[in-house]
Amino acid sequence: SMKLGIDVNRHKEIIVKSVSAILLLLLKHFKINHIYQFEFMSQHLVFANCIPLVLKFFNQNIMAYIQSKNNIALQDFPSCVIGEQPELTAETLEVGDTSLYCWRNMFSCINLLR
């Protein structure tokens, strides 16, 4: 169904966001802690073909990736707890989302650029 497809894409976005943030934080910590730790981690990322993977990621249409909407406004945190839950139809999936970009995708792109 449509809800399942949106939910799967949302989970993919969350995983990309968390992995990119963890890698960036680890590299920053290793660089501050000891440069050999940073070099060791960087070598492992290079040997695991991380650079071609990131380049393949950025070879996609980035603007379409950032502007993709993979969330259901009625099931986001504040509205899913407060008040009555309306029936999910094609019309209610579109209501409430007026932003021009998805903040999760923007965050992961910024992290991968670093």
Side-chain angles (χ1 to χ4, degrees), residues 20-90:
S20 65
I22 289 170
L23 281 176
L24 183 66
L25 286 174
L26 272 175
L27 286 173
K28 282 183 177 182
H29 172 73
F30 289 154
K31 193 172 185 179
I32 291 171
N33 192 24
H34 202 283
I35 196 66
Y36 287 144
Q37 289 178 339
F38 174 76
E39 183 180 349
F40 182 74
M41 182 68 174
S42 299
Q43 279 182 347
H44 277 288
L45 288 175
V46 168
F47 292 151
N49 290 330
C50 185
I51 293 173
L53 185 66
V54 170
L55 290 176
K56 181 181 174 186
F57 177 78
F58 282 118
N59 198 17
Q60 299 174 7
N61 189 358
I62 295 299
M63 288 305 293
Y65 177 72
I66 291 174
Q67 292 174 349
S68 67
K69 305 276 197 260
N70 290 320
N71 58 351
I72 301 171
L74 295 174
Q75 290 189 337
D76 283 345
F77 173 65
S79 60
C80 72
V81 179
I82 300 171
E84 291 290 322
Q85 292 296 315
E87 186 67 32
L88 286 177
T89 61

